[in-house]
Amino acid sequence: MSRRKKLYEGKAKILYEGPEPGTLVQYFKDDATAFNNQKHATLEGKGVLNNRISEYIMLGLGRIGIPTHFIKRLNMREQLVRQVEIIPLEVICRNVAAGSMCKRLGLEEGQPLPRSIVEFCYKNDDLEDPLVTEEHIAAFNWASPQEMDDLMAMTLRINDYLSGLFAAVGIQLIDFKLEFGRQYEGDMVRTVLADEISPDSCRLWDIESGQKLDKDRFRRDLGNVTEAYAEVARRLGIIKPNGTAPANDTGAGTDNGEDE
Ligand code: TMP
Ligand code: ASP
């Protein structure tokens, strides 16, 4: 037995070398951080839920033609993904004013925006992921003009898909964050959706009550964080109504339970 190679450890996930060249294993931790690591906790079961929710969403996006890094879920905490070169941008899409946008522009949280707004942040923890304009992105060549067209088009399409998916289960998609990567195929390079889409990276409010079902429960000390994530999974039909056991395991390769 030899230990597999850890390539990168982030705040909520670890990337290991995959079984074949060009693949990686993405491991979902239970760690939660906020405000660039100033606040930290371990939330038991969060990684398992995010793995399942992200799998469900990536598969759905794949079906509507969005290229993603996702290949298959391996077990409770891991998925096999394609190795990509991450574009150093966080792409945020907002439908309703919340979070940093309210602080920046003096808006009231919950105010619907006149239209969906896409923002770009430069991925750099030391600088706390500052908001940047397309001018900065072009000047510093963080993404090419073609890639920017791809990011915009895919983000708006993902917003439409996710807004409908969540609305159908009584959840309003307030905003979300995406990351994209470059997948090299010979001389060609393709822009693909990477990272994860989960209640860690979205704001999700119950349509009836306005209750927050996302990471703001952790950021704002509202309690019941994993319970809220489980509620999202339950409504999407990913876990059974009465518990946390998977409703089915289809499309997920082998599910051998946790291996760490
Ligand atoms: P913000 O209002 O704090 O800028 O967050 C906008 C969206 O992006 C929200 O859905 C949470 C998500 N997000 C992340 O996924 N990672 C981050 O590091 C930050 C700051 C926000
Ligand atoms: N993920 C970020 C952090 O760790 C911030 C956030 O999601 O609020 O600090």
Side-chain angles (χ1 to χ4, degrees), residues 167-227:
V169 296
I171 294 173
Q172 188 179 16
L173 178 64
I174 305 300
D175 56 33
F176 58 95
K177 185 263 303 183
L178 302 174
E179 295 187 25
F180 293 88
R182 301 182 180 106
Q183 187 188 325
Y184 292 96
E185 288 167 29
D187 290 347
M188 304 297 284
V189 52
R190 185 211 293 253
T191 311
V192 305
L193 179 66
D195 195 50
E196 70 179 299
I197 300 182
S198 74
D200 267 7
S201 60
C202 301
R203 283 196 174 91
L204 304 168
W205 295 359
D206 179 74
I207 287 176
E208 293 280 306
S209 65
Q211 193 193 8
K212 296 185 196 323
L213 299 171
D214 58 63
K215 196 172 152 189
D216 271 349
R217 299 204 71 82
F218 170 70
R219 295 189 190 98
R220 302 179 189 188
D221 295 318
L222 300 174
N224 297 325
V225 185
T226 43
E227 288 79 358

Side-chain angles (χ1 to χ4, degrees), residues 72-120:
K72 66 172 180 174
R73 183 166 61 82
L74 297 170
N75 55 50
M76 295 284 271
R77 286 187 184 272
E78 296 179 331
Q79 38 187 252
L80 185 68
V81 300
R82 267 178 261 283
Q83 182 162 29
V84 298
E85 179 182 278
I86 289 289
I87 294 174
L89 297 172
E90 298 205 336
V91 184
I92 294 171
C93 181
R94 302 179 186 269
N95 300 308
V96 173
S100 67
M101 182 186 231
C102 292
K103 280 206 190 108
R104 204 179 323 114
L105 303 180
L107 302 174
E108 196 179 325
E109 189 155 83
Q111 192 179 317
L113 297 170
R115 62 179 180 87
S116 302
I117 296 176
V118 177
E119 296 175 344
F120 299 97

